[in-house]
Amino acid sequence: MRIQLITPKNPPSFWTFDSILPVLGVDCIFPNLSMPTVAGLTPPGHDVVLCDENLDPVPVDLDVDVVGLTGYPIHKERIVELARELRARGRLVVIGGPYASLLPDEAATIADVVFVGEAEETWPRFLDDLATGTPAARYEAATKPDLADAPMPRFDLIDARRFHAMTVQFSRGCPFRCEFCDIIVVYGRKPRSKAVDRLLAEVEACLAAGARQVFIVDDNFAGNKRVAREVLTALAEWGRERGYPIDFNAELSLDVADDAELLRLLREANFTTVFVGIESPNARPRRMICRRL
């Protein structure tokens, strides 16, 4: 079976850094990790083609059996356009990612199949159903998947030279309930992590692909501080042994500022930048913006 996985064009936003792309000499800041992850979940015997519209126009005339689209609600307009054009050409169109997970009924009006939630279990099941001619209209996993043995994303399908940084994911979920954030709706409040060795293997794969910077895209890398310390210690050792070939970036909640050990480990692991979102400032002293239930 031939499968086309499409990442739609990003609309201008804070994260796209459009104005500085020519200065950096790249076409896009980060690759969307969703489609390489789905490609990694695809069993052997299938031919997978990744198409990132942030790099090149989408080839809508490819001879494929199924087309997958992903994206956030901010991508909705372009997802709708692509889905309509591809279905008009007779393609079987499936949609997953945060847009489909947050608005599944709406996504069902523009696609043949909708995936709600994470795809570790549902994507292989869909391919089995499709092979027998009995695909469902909607797939939703009953539980959050265990990431410890998750297959590696297909980094070999990404041209790292066209991006400012490669992306990896170590964990999903966040223990906080910030008003502005939908992460706990999509991934839950209990952080789930890959094995540390698996993360190191993914970093090695990014290095082999030509990356010199890796963004760990966990929505809160320190959601589980004990596990974060473990992985930072391993990354620091990995970097020392290789002369620190990779600069790391991550997203963290503001409480990291109160953890001297975690800050030290971030430096030792060669994290050059961390992103802290302060969406709802409060004038009252020492009130945490991210609140536990």
Side-chain angles (χ1 to χ4, degrees):
M1 190 178 301
R2 196 161 194 236
I3 303 166
Q4 181 183 21
L5 301 176
I6 298 174
T7 299
K9 177 73 174 177
N10 297 323
S13 72
F14 172 84
W15 285 106
T16 54
F17 297 97
D18 299 280
S19 298
I20 66 170
L21 293 179
V23 178
L24 297 173
V26 296
D27 297 308
C28 189
I29 292 293
F30 311 119
N32 186 316
L33 193 56
S34 298
M35 288 321 199
T37 297
V38 172
L41 296 172
T42 304
H46 299 283
D47 180 18
V48 180
V49 180
L50 294 191
C51 301
D52 190 334
E53 197 176 29
N54 297 288
L55 304 180
D56 300 298
V58 172
V60 294
D61 290 320
L62 285 184
D63 182 16
V64 295
D65 300 289
V66 59
V67 178
L69 293 169
T70 189
Y72 293 85
I74 195 173
H75 295 102
K76 171 186 171 180
E77 182 177 349
R78 185 56 181 149
I79 289 174
V80 170
E81 292 173 350
L82 286 168
R84 286 176 176 167
E85 181 172 4
L86 289 160
R87 294 181 83 190
R89 294 170 182 268
R91 302 292 184 265
L92 179 72
V93 174
V94 306
I95 295 180
Y99 165 63
S101 295
L102 294 169
L103 299 166
D105 294 336
E106 180 177 297
T109 65
I110 60 171
D112 299 292
V113 180
V114 174
F115 289 83
V116 179
E118 299 163 68
E120 273 73 12
E121 183 269 328
T122 55
W123 178 252
R125 176 153 54 91
F126 159 71
L127 293 177
D128 287 343
D129 292 346
L130 186 60
T132 61
T134 59
R138 176 166 169 167
Y139 288 84
E140 183 170 1
T143 59
K144 302 295 184 186
D146 182 359
L147 302 181
D149 297 316
M152 183 182 295
R154 290 287 305 276
F155 295 112
D156 59 300
L157 299 178
I158 302 176
D159 186 353
R161 298 168 299 179
R162 302 186 69 180
F163 296 96
H164 178 60
M166 290 287 277
T167 51
V168 299
Q169 185 182 56
F170 176 63
S171 66
R172 297 176 190 164
C174 180
F176 301 115
R177 56 179 184 90
C178 304
E179 293 176 352
F180 58 85
C181 187
D182 60 10
I183 294 306
I184 61 174
V185 178
V186 178
Y187 291 137
R189 294 191 62 245
K190 182 179 179 180
R192 293 162 288 124
S193 303
K194 296 178 181 177
V196 174
D197 288 347
R198 177 57 56 87
L199 177 67
L200 294 179
E202 293 188 13
V203 172
E204 285 277 8
C206 290
L207 180 62
R212 294 296 174 265
Q213 187 169 172
V214 168
F215 178 32
I216 299 179
V217 299
D218 303 18
D219 299 288
N220 186 355
F221 178 67
N224 184 324
K225 289 188 177 182
R226 178 188 61 79
V227 175
R229 292 186 184 98
E230 181 182 353
V231 72
L232 287 172
T233 300
L235 284 173
E237 181 179 356
W238 181 90
R240 283 193 298 269
E241 292 175 350
R242 292 160 179 78
Y244 299 100
I246 295 284
D247 293 343
F248 292 100
N249 319 128
E251 299 175 79
L252 297 165
S253 50
L254 189 59
D255 59 334
V256 70
D258 289 329
D259 194 320
E261 181 188 12
L262 199 58
L263 291 173
R264 174 182 61 81
L265 288 171
L266 285 164
R267 290 192 298 269
E268 291 180 359
N270 206 34
F271 278 69
T272 59
T273 307
V274 295
F275 178 83
V276 177
I278 304 177
E279 310 287 345
S280 305
N282 191 309
R284 283 180 286 180
R286 300 193 62 79
R287 180 181 176 87
M288 291 301 296
I289 297 168
C290 298
R291 304 183 302 278
R292 291 185 182 274
L293 285 174

